[in-house]
Amino acid sequence: MAPDIDTSAGARPAPSLDDPLLTTLGLFFEAHAGLALVLERHLEAECAMSLQWFEVLLRLARSPGNRLRMSDLAAQTTLSTSGLTRAVDRLESAGLVRREACDSDRRGAFAALTASGAERIDAAVPVHLAQAHDLLDRTLPGDRLETFTDLLRHLRDALNPAAAEASVIADPDG
Amino acid sequence: MAPDIDTSAGARPAPSLDDPLLTTLGLFFEAHAGLALVLERHLEAECAMSLQWFEVLLRLARSPGNRLRMSDLAAQTTLSTSGLTRAVDRLESAGLVRREACDSDRRGAFAALTASGAERIDAAVPVHLAQAHDLLDRTLPGDRLETFTDLLRHLRDALNPAAAEASVIADPDG
DNA sequence: AAAGATTGAATAATCAATCTTT
DNA sequence: AAAGATTGATTATTCAATCTTT
């Protein structure tokens, strides 16, 4: 018979509070929060732009005709369709994006980069990349960054099959 | 003299829109969003609990006396101190957490796990872990999960030195 | 009836200001 | 005056409902 380890009053049994997978998940969430915070602060200070705006403008800049259907854009970001509608409202108010009608399906709408939006994202990308390289090349030197990317791709493919399939066609993110 | 690649009307120069680091960052954010979504849905369905509640309760369950100062708890989550105040308000309304006074410093307050809160997190951890293992052991088999954890720790340490230092003392996340 | 997009209502996150204690 | 915690005001996000077009 195995003896109880902890018999002190009021102690609860520890089901699996020390499973290393909890540590992995915790590290993942902490790393994400830290990275988003640092990147956002830099982008905000240097380019007066949130990380969300950067991501939306970048998607548009990489799309044919610098435009994308609202629903496609929503699928490529972490926003719901209503969330994207509001985000595009704000981008349109700032003059960085313009809505365009869709001829082939009049229910649809495009979000299109304006000249001003193109200027802003073109200016922001090198600033963003400089900081990201400064941070990551130093933190994950040698081939570690490539390994990290490879592991992330496996994870993303398992979690978001839609994005994985789309990347085979158009390579929005690997 | 290097010739221009694209001389079509209206074409903008592409500064570095294809830098592989943009792909890495995109994959990281997509993987995070996907993982958080999947874990949250499962936890919500099986344990009627958000991922945020899970994380707060888990931190408390792993702390001596099942309690932690509000400011320490905020530092260990992705919330601001005011955000944590509100989160603890909700947890307290649900009866999972109780505020306790701090004798040594009467400005301070503890958030402490209630018996009900302990039951709920004890029940949720195995459920959460089962899903996480099912997902990750299959996606990153062999030693890939350990490699991934190692890379995340390096990244977290670079981005959040405070958490890295704390982990040397108390091991909240590796 | 279903798809694309938007809107209203409800919930939650942050910053700055405030209050208490050190 | 500074630190710990909370509150008010603002902004942003989501779900469900709505409107138009297919």
Side-chain angles (χ1 to χ4, degrees):
Chain A
M1 192 215 279
D4 290 340
I5 302 297
D6 186 349
T7 58
S8 62
R12 295 174 296 115
S16 25
L17 262 54
D18 295 322
D19 190 303
L21 194 51
L22 286 177
T23 297
T24 301
L25 293 173
L27 287 171
F28 190 42
F29 290 128
E30 280 183 50
H32 171 265
L35 190 58
L37 188 67
V38 167
L39 292 177
E40 173 116 19
R41 277 189 183 158
H42 191 247
L43 213 46
E44 200 78 65
E46 302 293 320
C47 307
M49 183 185 295
S50 69
L51 201 49
Q52 181 185 82
W53 281 24
F54 180 88
E55 288 176 328
V56 170
L57 295 178
L58 181 64
R59 299 285 184 181
L60 294 178
R62 296 212 274 198
S63 299
N66 286 343
R67 63 183 208 165
L68 220 45
R69 288 285 291 270
M70 292 294 286
S71 50
D72 293 331
L73 192 48
Q76 286 185 21
T77 63
T78 62
L79 287 168
S80 64
T81 62
S82 71
L84 181 77
T85 289
R86 263 108 188 193
V88 169
D89 286 346
R90 295 187 289 271
L91 282 161
E92 202 165 22
S93 295
L96 308 187
V97 161
R98 173 180 47 239
R99 278 180 171 85
E100 293 179 356
C102 178
D103 293 329
S104 61
D105 183 343
R106 277 157 40 192
R107 291 171 303 180
F110 284 100
L113 215 51
T114 63
S116 171
E119 274 177 37
R120 291 283 293 280
I121 190 63
D122 286 354
V125 164
V127 171
H128 185 69
L129 276 174
Q131 193 212 10
H133 273 293
D134 181 52
L135 214 73
L136 293 181
D137 294 347
R138 190 165 34 79
T139 306
L140 304 177
D143 60 354
R144 290 204 187 95
L145 186 55
E146 290 169 42
T147 302
F148 188 55
T149 304
D150 187 53
L151 294 170
L152 285 174
R153 194 189 317 274
H154 278 279
L155 196 54
R156 194 279 310 263
D157 288 353
L159 290 165
N160 189 352
E165 255 184 64
S167 78
V168 174
I169 302 165
D171 189 56
D173 254 321
Chain B
M1 195 218 274
D4 289 339
I5 301 298
D6 187 346
T7 58
S8 61
R12 297 174 296 115
S16 26
L17 260 55
D18 295 322
D19 191 304
L21 194 51
L22 287 177
T23 297
T24 301
L25 293 173
L27 287 171
F28 190 38
F29 290 129
E30 279 183 52
H32 172 266
L35 190 59
L37 188 67
V38 168
L39 293 176
E40 173 115 19
R41 277 188 183 159
H42 192 248
L43 213 46
E44 200 79 63
E46 301 294 321
C47 306
M49 184 185 294
S50 69
L51 200 51
Q52 181 186 83
W53 281 23
F54 181 88
E55 287 175 327
V56 169
L57 295 177
L58 181 64
R59 299 284 184 181
L60 294 178
R62 296 213 274 198
S63 299
N66 286 344
R67 62 182 209 165
L68 220 44
R69 288 286 292 270
M70 293 294 285
S71 50
D72 293 331
L73 192 49
Q76 286 186 22
T77 65
T78 62
L79 286 168
S80 63
T81 61
S82 71
L84 182 77
T85 290
R86 263 110 190 195
V88 169
D89 286 345
R90 295 187 289 269
L91 282 161
E92 201 166 22
S93 297
L96 308 188
V97 161
R98 172 178 48 238
R99 279 181 171 84
E100 294 178 356
C102 179
D103 293 330
S104 61
D105 183 342
R106 277 156 40 192
R107 292 171 303 179
F110 285 99
L113 215 51
T114 63
S116 171
E119 276 177 36
R120 291 284 293 278
I121 190 63
D122 286 354
V125 164
V127 172
H128 185 68
L129 275 173
Q131 192 210 13
H133 273 292
D134 181 52
L135 213 73
L136 293 180
D137 294 346
R138 188 165 35 79
T139 305
L140 303 177
D143 60 354
R144 290 205 186 97
L145 186 55
E146 289 168 41
T147 303
F148 188 54
T149 305
D150 187 54
L151 294 171
L152 285 173
R153 193 190 317 276
H154 277 279
L155 196 53
R156 193 281 308 266
D157 288 354
L159 290 165
N160 189 352
E165 256 184 64
S167 77
V168 174
I169 301 165
D171 188 56
D173 253 322

